[in-house]
Every structure is written in structure tokens, then in C-alpha cells.
Amino acid sequence: MEVARLSSMGFVGRCLSSSASVSVSSLRTKELRGRVVQSIGVCYGVNGNNLPSPSDVVKLYQSKGIDSMRIYFPRSDILQALTGSNIALTMGVANENLSAFASDPSAVANWVKQNVQAYPGVNFRYIAVGNEVESGNTQNVLPAMQNMNNALSAAGLSNIKVSVSVSQKGVLADRYPPSNGTFSPEATSYMTPIAKYLASTGAPLMANVYPYFAYVDKQDQIDIKYALFTSPGTVVQDGGNAYQNLFDASVDTFYSALESAGAGSVPIVVSESGWPSAGGTAASASNAQTYNQNLIKHVGQGTPKRAGRIETYIFAMFNENDKRGDETERHFGLFNPDQLHAIKEIDEESNDYIVQMAGQGVACALAVALFIGSLVSIPTVYTPGIKPCRTHTNTFDLHGCMRALIVDQHSTAVRSIGVCNGILGNNLPSPADVVKLYQSNGIAAMRIYSPHAATLRALTGTDIAVIVDEPAIDQFLTLSAASDWVQSNIKPYQGVNIRYIAVGNEVSGDATRSILPAMENLTKALSAAGFGKIKVSTAVKMDVLGTSSPPSGGEFSDAAVMAPIAKFLASNGSPLLANVYPYFAYKGGDVDLNFALFQPTTATVADDGRTYSNMFAAMVDAMYSALEKAGAPGVAVVVSESGWPSAGGSGASADNARRYNQGLIDHVGMGTPKRAGAMEAYIFAMFNENQKDGDETERHYGLFNPDKSPAYPINSGRRRRPEKRKEREEVSCAPT
């Protein structure tokens, strides 16, 4: 695809109202039910003679809750319009500048000064050094990236990640199946060094992924259902990975190529994907709507090779009448140039999106999904930039606050946050009431510590994503026993959105030798029963590391146990579940409290070219380093527990618990210095549990008290009345 494009990343959930049909313009004020949040963006191109002004475009992004944008070259009017908007920006370097940037560091420094430092009010996220670079210019990409990183670092902007955007046809060999993916012979000479450089800086590889073009090129080999996410079952079986859509196969081919290049730890950001609504083969509004809608629903799941959310940018914001190339190039827009989107209404029936088409553009459920772009799926803790909301009677109104956040688009984006649901209390709400509390607060993911029947029944039909633990791993030591467990605990609850099964939690001693065979048997049993999409893992604590400081030195203490587990996870596309508690590191050692609480501090850690400003990121990256040393650099870390106690011990206070959980919510969308991108994390815990064993702090991790009231006292701070909006309850949210 051509260079002159903008992209944005928003986040998607499901909106509900009391009526069966609501207009898009009013969806922001409707009730929300918890859904798994997905990382979706929209590309906004500028190749048209009838497009809105940059200031109007930024307003459109904000009004739809789109909280990030990509531009392919710096434009002062766009940067000025973005100032103060808090929209996260990926800005490109034009391909024609690569030669100069590769040979002249001063040219790069001047570019940074003029286009980045000159706009301190713009929230820069990535710099993309080139887009689909071709021919001899490819040799300029890596030195230009290196000079860009050096210039950003010298300017004190090393938090901005530097990458390059590539296409499938441009860099991948035509290899099949996905596990055989490699860079083409022509691309290997420059892509292998680029991949290793990205691994060293913790930046992602940006990849433009278009099943549409693959389908058009090979209609005799590819079923359109496979390209549109509508195949009813597995189309490609690749070892233990089953592929039901071409998007996953394409992304995993990139991951295989990175692994072959010795850079398996590099994440993929899908920097473009879409389907045209007119102008060519299979280009219709109906197919475009089907593809984009299914893409939105899908990216929260990850791929067979890599579980977890995929940061993905849909192309494009507008139909662009001046784009060059095939006619289809002018018909990728979600919106027409008059800013009227192609959605008349969005209905919800049977928990599915139904999108009605209008005009020349392409309809997409994203238009409604993006309305919740600033919602944070955790109650009682602060959203960065927004104080907890109160009614005019100064009582905490969580529901009103959540609805206010839907409208106020300047807070940070939705993070990949779930909450652990412990049940060790004699005064806790019923499972049905707990599930309702998750839904009413927009919490879209839950971890439970056993296959508790009442909880699973309550979760049925909710679409809340669930981690189910089985603490008794001896139930999986034979395939027959594992199959019986699946029949008893998974098959009866097919209406539950089970994402992972954790084979044990913090297993220790000789029992660790049973983890791998138990995982292998459970994986086989799930696959045989038709539940192969459920990923199997185990939850570990930080004690599995013999070395954790500095983060690059992270190494498993018992590699004989953990290395085979790590490689098994890699082969099955499963993450490692890790319980990460900076509180215990602070309590047990010489750790600065602010460093542990995500607060500003001078006690930072410099390690291998990376700077750590908080303990959480350092701990997670130590786990990633251990996985790399164990030969499994592609395994993702899902933080299956993290939290801070509000009472009962050293440093345990309501204020510290609030600070930590707020910092965690704010942080997980950025990833770590070693691994950029949103990470999946679960706060421990939903409730204070009065029957938990151990130190007194163990009974004080809850976000809620057993009576469902917030566990933390909330300081009201300064309050202001927000701008009145249609159908919105009046609440006050004071900026920090």
C-alpha cells in the first residue's frame, strides 16, 4: 500500500442499550457490558482533495474515542492539531529521506528537533523509519533506524520506539505452512540485522497484512471464507497449530521468519489491514464490513502461535479520491470525506454485531467500539489524568464515572487488565452477583483458582474471558484422567469464554516435575474434545528465577524443569503465566518505595541500553530474559497476578494500593523496555478475603469489600463540571 497514510489505534468492546437498535452517535452514553478489550486502530490517509482539515480529523478521532494515530511523514498542521489531544502517535520517515538519514546523523538530529521536540504536547509512540521500502533503499533502513534511536536518546526521548513497516510480499518467502516462514533470499540480508536490532531495543516489527491481496492473487487456492474470517472450521493444520483464517496464518508466518532470523522475541504490530468496498474482485461493502468486523473481534485472541492481543491498525479512515494505483485503493475508507461514517445503525442481536451499510464507505463495528477508547476496566482506582468521579453529593459513583470516561477522550487507552476472583471468604457475594459486578464495572477478564461450578455457571453467556486454574495437577498425569477432567469441567460450560487453563499455581518442590507431562496430557485432551483454542500454561512466581537483577540477567533457577516447559509453551503458542509482585520485592529488600509503586523516582535501573523506572517492568523483563536463555524467546508473559495490599503489613496502605493499581493500569498498555506493546495482566484481587492463610496482608488485596463497596477511600480532589452531553448523567471528574 502507498506511503501517505495515517493510522490510529482505538480499543473495542460491546455496547448495549435497552433498545434493540441505537444510532452510532448516541452509543457513547449507553450501558456497557464487560468484553475482552482488543487493540484496534484505523489508518487515516491524506491522498484526497476533499478531506477534512487536520483539526477536524483530530476532533473526529476524539469524538469516536480513537486514541492513537499514525502519520507517514511529519506535517506541521497535523502535529499542531494533535497537540494536547493525548492521541498516541506513530510518525513515519518518508522513504526518500532514508539515504540521507543513513549517512548523516546530523540530518536525523535536525529532523527530531523540528518534528518531535518542537511538539512537546504530542504523545509520540513510534517512529516508523520507512514503509514498504524497496530495492537498494533497503540497505539504508538499519543505519537510519540506528541514527534515529541515537538522536531520540540524545534528546531525552528514548521512550519512543523506532521501527520500520514492511509488507508480506516485500520481505517474506512464499513458504507454506506458517511454521516454515522465512524472510525471502532477497530480504534476508537486510531483514535479519533489522530483526536483531529490534530485539535489542525492545521495539516491534510493523507489518502490513492484507488477506485481501493474498486472496485476489491466488483465488484458485484460497477460499474467500478463509480470508474473511468466516470459515466454519480448521483450514490449515500446521503441527499443533490450527488455522481458521488467513490473517492468523499471515501473522504467524512473520513470527516464524523472525524466529528463523534469531529474533523470536520481537512482537508484531499489524500496521495496516483492511478490505476494499469497491473497485475490484470481491471488493464490496458487504465483504469489507465482514472482514473489518471480524478482525476487530479476532485480534484480542492472538494467533495460534502467539496468544494475547495483537496491536492492529485497520486501513483506512477515509475513502481517498487521489490515491494512485488500482481502483480499490480509493475505497478502503470507514468514513466518507464528509465525515459521515458508513454505519447507519448498529444493532445487537444474539450478542453479535449487525452493521447496516450506507454510502460508498465500508461499515465497521469499530465505529461503535472506539467510543469506549478511554474506558479502563478496573473500578475504584484512578485513571491517569482523571480523578475518581463523584456525584454532586460527593459520594463515589463508579457507574457514572465509567460512563463519563466513555465520553471524555483524553484519558489513556483501555489496557489489557483483568481481575482475579478469589473465594476464600465466608462473607463474599454469590457467584452470580460477582459476575454482575464484573459486568457493571466493565471488567472483561477473570481468573478463578479452580473449576468452581457455580462460578462457571454464572459466567455462561457473558463473554468474560476466563483463566481456569486446576491446582491438583495429578489429575492430568494420564491422558485418560485429563480427558475425564475436560469432560467434567470444560465441556458442560461451552458458553464460557475460557481463554487459558493454568496447570497449577506456584507449584514447588518435587511436584514441579509433573507440570510438563500434565500440560501435555491436558493439551491433547482439549484438542480431542474440540477445545484446541484453549491455551494451556502454568502460573509461576518470581522465585522460579535464580537471577533477576539486572533484568537482562534473568535466568531460571531450575532450567531442567523450566526450559522444557518454556519450549512446550513456544510450540503451542501459549504464554507463561507469571505472578509479579513488586510489593514483596519492596518488603523483603532494599527497594525504593516509589520505584515499586510506579511513582516518579531517581532510583531507576540502567541495564543493557534500557532504563527501568519501575520495579514491575524490571521483574517482567527478567522473566523474558529467562525465557530467552531457555530457548523460548517467542513466549509471551501474561501477568496472572499483581497487586498491593491495603492493610496488614509494612507499606500496606489504601493509598499505596491505589497508587500501585493505578500505575499498573497506566503501564500495561506500554509494555516493558524489552517488550513494547500492550501486555495482559490480572490485578489481585476482586475482594478482601477473610479466610486466606498467611500474613495479614493476604486478606487485604481486594478492590472491593465483601459488601461490594470499594475497598479504598477516595480523595475527591478538585472537581469541575464536565461539558454537558446528550443522555449523559452529570458527574464531576477533576484533572490531576
Side-chain angles (χ1 to χ4, degrees), residues 207-248:
N208 299 339
V209 177
Y210 283 96
Y212 171 74
F213 294 119
Y215 166 73
V216 169
D217 288 345
K218 296 183 178 181
Q219 295 176 58
D220 58 331
Q221 302 176 40
I222 298 175
D223 189 314
I224 193 169
K225 292 180 180 179
Y226 187 52
L228 289 173
F229 297 93
T230 56
S231 293
T234 298
V235 176
V236 174
Q237 188 69 44
D238 182 13
N241 293 328
Y243 292 89
Q244 198 169 340
N245 64 80
L246 185 54
F247 176 86
D248 280 353

Side-chain angles (χ1 to χ4, degrees), residues 30 100 159 165 188 233 295 425 483 524 543 581 602 678:
K30 300 298 179 181
N159 60 303
S165 183
T188 297
L295 178 64
S483 298
K524 293 175 183 176
D543 286 358
Y581 284 95
T602 58

Side-chain angles (χ1 to χ4, degrees), residues 350-378:
S350 303
N351 294 327
D352 287 323
Y353 288 102
I354 296 178
V355 184
Q356 299 179 1
M357 306 300 301
Q360 300 177 1
V362 52
C364 176
L366 180 65
V368 56
L370 292 174
F371 288 132
I372 68 166
S374 61
L375 177 63
V376 175
S377 299
I378 290 294

Side-chain angles (χ1 to χ4, degrees), residues 159 391 402 491:
N159 60 303
T391 65
M402 298 299 265
K491 189 173 182 179

Side-chain angles (χ1 to χ4, degrees), residues 148 260 331 410 449 526 552 607:
M148 181 64 68
S260 297
H331 297 278
H410 298 290
Y449 292 88
L526 287 167
S552 62
D607 174 34

Side-chain angles (χ1 to χ4, degrees), residues 507 540-546 555-558 562 576 623:
V507 180
V540 301
K541 56 183 177 179
M542 292 300 296
D543 286 358
V544 299
L545 299 183
E555 191 166 7
F556 292 121
S557 57
D558 191 345
M562 286 304 301
L576 177 65
M623 195 68 72

